[in-house]
Amino acid sequence: MPTVLITGCSTGFGRETALYFIEKGWTVFATMRNPAANTMPASERLHVVPLDVTDANSIADAIAQAGQIDVLVNNAGIGWFNALEGTPLDTAREVFETNLFGTIAMMQAVLPAMRERRSGTIVNVASSTIYVPLPLLAVYRASKAAVVAMTESAAGELAQFDIRARVVVPGLAPATNFAANIQERVARGGWFPPAYADFAQKSLAALQAHPPEETTSASEVAEAIFRSATEEDCPTVLPAGPDAVAGAAKQ
């Protein structure tokens, strides 16, 4: 049976995607920084592995445990919501280190074996913020836009080896822990610069008032990732969720 390695599986899109692949009969290596945070039900096809995508030794250990990887899903990522002026450069670097450079590092780790056997698929997870220039998301949006641009170019390099590189673009998903994690990170960073505080609160309220029927569920993202991983004629960039589909249509 085929094997998929998925990063960032403790909650949200990663967890749902791991469960979806298991249901489809795949062997799943579900990775997360802290395996103790795993809440997925036990399965003979599920292997929970520690992985920090910003640590080369951690990446090498996870790849060695998985063995032959047919599909890599780069889902691990961190968010940030603040004015550009109020974003410390160290925070901006941290966002890019995980969202972009961690994705590149994982790709580089699996590509030699995929190239040797001339088979494999890599699915990277971006964000529908690439379609809409929402305020206070400049750094996060830039990191995800870079993931899309990088993947599109890499796809052209890898096609000669029968390796597919694709991107899934999820919409806003308030039901996941992602928004809460962003809020916690902003709080640790000292909240918003005073000059932007009122604007930030209004922007947060607008996001929270987004109609539920226009947001994205984790199951929609999992289905899109599986489609990207398994359908030969799937688009290189695939929006997931009604708001992401609507945003893509306007491009």
Side-chain angles (χ1 to χ4, degrees):
M1 62 184 67
T3 295
V4 59
L5 187 147
I6 308 167
T7 68
C9 289
S10 58
T11 61
F13 300 153
R15 182 183 186 277
E16 190 71 22
T17 300
L19 294 174
Y20 195 86
F21 272 86
I22 290 170
E23 289 175 6
K24 296 294 184 179
W26 286 56
T27 296
V28 175
F29 283 82
T31 73
M32 56 193 74
R33 288 194 181 206
N34 178 17
N38 174 45
T39 61
M40 288 178 283
S43 167
E44 62 180 9
R45 293 193 297 275
L46 173 64
H47 306 272
V48 179
V49 176
L51 173 62
D52 179 349
V53 300
T54 67
D55 184 304
N57 291 329
S58 180
I59 291 173
D61 288 345
I63 298 298
Q65 290 186 56
Q68 179 175 313
I69 297 169
D70 299 294
V71 172
L72 167 66
V73 177
N74 281 310
N75 167 73
I78 57 176
W80 181 250
F81 186 84
N82 208 328
L84 185 68
E85 183 181 347
T87 300
L89 277 178
D90 284 347
T91 298
R93 292 188 180 101
E94 183 184 3
V95 171
F96 271 80
E97 192 67 39
T98 298
N99 295 358
L100 176 62
F101 300 128
T103 294
I104 293 174
M106 289 298 300
M107 292 175 70
Q108 291 177 336
V110 302
L111 280 173
M114 288 184 174
R115 179 168 43 77
E116 282 277 325
R117 66 176 187 271
R118 302 185 69 88
S119 175
T121 301
I122 296 170
V123 182
N124 298 328
V125 178
S127 164
S128 63
T129 57
I130 67 169
Y131 299 135
V132 183
L134 295 172
L136 306 180
L137 287 168
V139 169
Y140 175 73
R141 181 176 188 248
S143 73
K144 290 300 189 178
V147 167
V148 175
M150 178 272 294
T151 307
E152 288 177 321
S153 288
E157 303 168 4
L158 300 175
Q160 62 182 314
F161 305 114
D162 298 320
I163 300 170
R164 296 192 296 264
R166 290 172 170 166
V167 187
V168 167
V169 184
L172 179 67
T176 68
N177 290 338
F178 194 69
N181 291 340
I182 292 177
Q183 189 171 7
E184 180 184 342
R185 286 173 54 76
V186 174
R188 290 202 309 267
W191 291 102
F192 307 102
Y196 295 89
D198 289 344
F199 180 78
Q201 293 302 328
K202 291 176 182 176
S203 298
L204 279 172
L207 286 175
Q208 292 166 349
H210 206 71
E213 66 274 10
E214 296 178 8
T215 58
T216 299
S217 68
S219 62
E220 288 171 321
V221 177
E223 291 170 8
I225 290 173
F226 188 81
R227 180 184 168 194
S228 291
T230 59
E231 294 184 9
E232 289 190 12
D233 59 351
C234 185
T236 299
V237 181
L238 181 65
D243 49 339
V245 171
K250 296 177 182 178
Q251 297 301 297

